[in-house]
Structure formats: C-alpha cells, structure tokens
Amino acid sequence: MCISNNEIERQAYIMSEKIRNNSIYKSIGMEFVGTENLVFQNQPLEDILAKKDLPLVSKVILEDSKGMRFAIEPNEIGLSYAKGEITYKEYKQMQNKESKLFIGYLVALSSGFFLVSWAALRLFFM
C-alpha cells in the first residue's frame, strides 16, 4: 500500500482541527514533534498552516474555565476528552492502556520471530 509522505501529518492536523471545533474547552495552542510550539489567537488552522511548513502535531493544548491547561494528543481519545465525554483521568487511563497494548503486541511479535528463527536454526543446522 502506498501512501503520501505527509499523510500522517495531514491526519494529525485534521484531528487537531476537529478537537478545536468540537471542544468544550478553550484551545490555546499546539505542540509539535521537536521543540517548536505554536500559540494561536482564534485563527483558523488553515491560515496558520499557509504561513509556514509545520512538523507533526504531537499535542493540542486546551484550557478550562479555571485556567488549568491540558495537553492532549490529536486522536479519537483526545477528541472524546475535548468534547467532555470522558474526564482527564479517564483520558490518561485510556492512553496508558493503549500504550501497554502496543508494547504487548510488540513483545509478542518479537518473541514469535525469535522462536521461528530459533526453530529454523535447530531444524537446519542440528
């Protein structure tokens, strides 16, 4: 399957825009992979993107009515939090569960390759 080089960045920008448009919180900025941060003042994301080439969005920064800031990832779980469907604690728990699941799949896949390689060596060289 062939995808464009910037497809991942484009999907992150689309999800960031969904979070900005559907959030019950005030959207105050974005964090990018690397050190660059961007704070916007009620500008459409298209205007910001037209000005310069930005790297991959890693987090969208939201602010609640009490002034507390939350950095959320531009994904479905982050969108659920921004809409107010889940609490921040539930958001963090779901993120941790997703990370643990990824690590589990990675370990299982690596172990499977190791076992197949070991079995092939034993079969052909012993």
Side-chain angles (χ1 to χ4, degrees):
M1 182 167 87
C2 182
I3 61 171
S4 154
N5 288 343
N6 66 348
E7 185 63 26
I8 295 171
E9 288 89 348
R10 192 176 73 76
Q11 289 298 322
Y13 290 127
I14 289 170
M15 189 58 71
S16 298
E17 188 66 16
K18 283 183 183 179
I19 289 172
R20 286 184 66 196
N21 292 336
N22 298 315
S23 179
I24 61 172
Y25 304 104
K26 180 181 176 185
S27 180
I28 61 169
M30 287 189 262
E31 290 181 12
F32 298 96
V33 172
T35 59
E36 186 177 354
N37 290 334
L38 175 69
V39 177
F40 39 79
Q41 291 87 16
N42 299 324
Q43 298 176 355
L45 191 57
E46 293 82 23
D47 294 345
I48 296 166
L49 296 176
K51 292 180 183 176
K52 59 181 184 176
D53 187 29
L54 299 173
L56 179 63
V57 176
S58 62
K59 302 215 185 262
V60 177
I61 304 169
L62 302 176
E63 185 176 68
D64 66 4
S65 59
K66 298 176 185 174
M68 292 190 61
R69 293 183 178 185
F70 302 96
I72 62 169
E73 292 182 11
N75 56 25
E76 293 295 328
I77 301 169
L79 182 59
S80 295
Y81 170 72
K83 287 181 177 179
E85 296 171 353
I86 59 175
T87 65
Y88 189 71
K89 184 177 180 180
E90 292 170 328
Y91 165 76
K92 293 304 273 181
Q93 288 173 345
M94 292 172 85
Q95 287 291 100
N96 288 338
K97 183 179 178 182
E98 191 175 270
S99 297
K100 289 177 185 176
L101 189 61
F102 173 75
I103 291 171
Y105 284 140
L106 184 64
V107 167
L109 187 62
S110 299
S111 299
F113 280 126
F114 175 75
L115 288 174
V116 168
S117 299
W118 178 77
L121 286 174
R122 298 267 310 173
L123 180 66
F124 293 115
F125 296 110
M126 300 239 167

